[in-house]
Amino acid sequence: MHASRLSRRAVLAGTAAAAALATVPPLQGRAHAAGVTAATPSYRWRNAVIGGTGFITGVLFHPAVRGLAYARTDIGGAYRWDERAARWTPLTDHLGWDDWNLLGVESLAVDPAHPDRLYLALGTYAQAWAGNGAVLRSEDRGATWTRTDLTVKLGGNEDGRGAGERLLVDPRDSGTLWLGTRHDGLLKSSDRGATWAVASGFPATASASGQGVTFLAAVGRAVYAGWGDGDGTATAVNLYRTTDGTTWEPVPGQPTGTSAKVPIRAAHDRHTRELYVTYADAPGPNGQSAGSVHKLATATDRWTDVTPVQPGGSDTFGYGGVDVDARRAGTVVVSTNNRWADGDTVFRSTDGGRTWASLKDVAVFDVSETPFLDWGEDRPKFGWWIQALALDPYDSKHLVYGTGATLYGTRDLRRWAPRIRGLEETAVRRLISPPAGEAHLISGVGDIGVMYHERLTASPSRGMATNPVFGSATGLAQAAAKPAYVVRAGWGDHGNGAYSHDGGRTWAPFTAQPDIAKNAPGPIATSADGGTLLWSFVHWDGTKYAAHRSTDNGATWSEVSSFPKGATPVADPADPTLFYAYDTDTGTLHASTDSGRSFTARAGGLPSGDDQFQLAAAPGRSGDLWLSVKWNGLYRSTDGGVTFAKVASCWASYTLGFGKAADGADYPAVYQVGSTETITAVYRSDDAAGTWVRINDDAHQWGWIGEVITGDPRVYGRVYLGTNGRGIQYGEPV
């Protein structure tokens, strides 16, 4: 996948949504709304399998327990590896709507002396609009948690998120923990993470815009701290240490210069008493063009440059991950990062860095379990954004590394396959559950476009939708009366729009596209009969443009000047001449009765000012519209938007969809993410929003889930839910 496409991840999978969420008022203290039923059905929740699809920022094998490992992600929480089941178990799904900012994991730590103890430092964004971070601590490997809220912000999805680990159990005292922050210096806890204070004696000055502490590493009884705010000059300091837990000093003789400006990661070889450090000229994962690898003989403070390959010319990159073999002295692995010319790789040395071999040169990959990773020979197979790299301390040939899309593993240093079962990090943007056909689900997601799910329990066999390949989907729609016809929009490699005549199995690009579609693809709709397309255009920076219309399957397009700019077009599911759009700037519903040629205003005076408001049309009915306006509630129109009435049974609604009606019911099941009481949760109504039942539970909340929800039109009770980092969740009654 291309660097330009991946660089949008922070926007598409977090920042834009997070900025909007920053305005959400507190959910506590709300009165219970009328209409909530007392009984709550039991639901089973699972991931619709894709396999990874997000940036794995850290992997840590436990040094004292064979087969135990943990992984962290930038927006999707933390996981524990189950060796017997060969899959990952999510550990942070209990974090709910109010805690959406804690799904980004800044760092994790284990206690070598107490195998069941696990610590997480959580916080996705360090921006002013984001909440403060938190530390979770567990005595049972993440099955249950105790939480401490911090007074500082962490940045699990900020630049530098692949560095670390920034959290460390002191090697001299299991009751003492250290936490490196980006903008608030070094923190210390003397009660196993229950309380935190600024560590006295740490000499580096925190910066409001810098990287701060990039890693903490135990070397015998000493602790080393990487510092990412140096300027690379001969007097800059990027590595400190303490031998008594109180006094910190710069490590003498440390490397300087552009290629050693930012220390990324470190690993200690206890056999040779050497500390290996990877460096780059920027924190990454993007923007690195120079880097190096150095080792420090900790007994003598002698440094040696052991860089495998020097970046230069068009082959620019930094160095990222590093780990040592706990069983073999002098055996070390390091990874390149942001290397687009020659492709990233992992280097391995068995002689302390004197000579290196590139594991990519002999690598054989099997991605059959996650076919979306097979992008052809013109795309890097070894992966990109390689900063998480870990060697099993009990198996010298068991090596794993994270990328921007998955986690690869090998048991023989040659044959590689995704080691990703159970780990799903997709940021989901669009979902369709077709009324007929092979697939019960088609998804549009961040970074990997559109997928056709033949089964929910296996990664789609066709992988990403091709012709064109999308980096991220912005629109996905199906003709209500002609479900074989599906259209999609997004950031593509050969055009930003495509259509399918076989229900989403195969695709072809639109013959033409409006000029604005090149830089601002947005949501798209198709009339009930598939004869008319309406495509709206919104740049990723929020700029809105006029919508365009096509009646020849995307061969020609004409501007619709009366369509509210940037609005999401919604087709009437029963009448192909009707379209709707909600103008969030003015709080006005607009409608077209001439197949999208022109739009006129209907109901006005509705909530305004938030582009995340959502309009939905009930299936099989003409003019039956539902408007979710976040904490302003839920509105319904049964006359095509001429009038709206507020729904009294809930006080907040963020996203809404429909599924198969309950036995004996004459209206589709309605699903929503909203609030009928003091919490935001997932609800179902079988009586057209007269009453609601909560269908998720406190263990299944997944942070921010306000983007998309839809029921299955063929299976009563089944619902598909999009998350911002925990993939596609689907629930079924049990």
Side-chain angles (χ1 to χ4, degrees), residues 201-226:
F202 190 71
T205 301
S207 165
S209 59
Q211 283 292 304
V213 179
T214 56
F215 67 74
L216 295 166
V219 178
R221 295 173 61 83
V223 175
Y224 284 68

Side-chain angles (χ1 to χ4, degrees), residues 132 192 195 258 299 370 385 390 406 472 587 669:
N132 291 334
R192 295 190 42 245
T195 61
T258 301
T370 51
W385 287 9
T406 192
S472 289

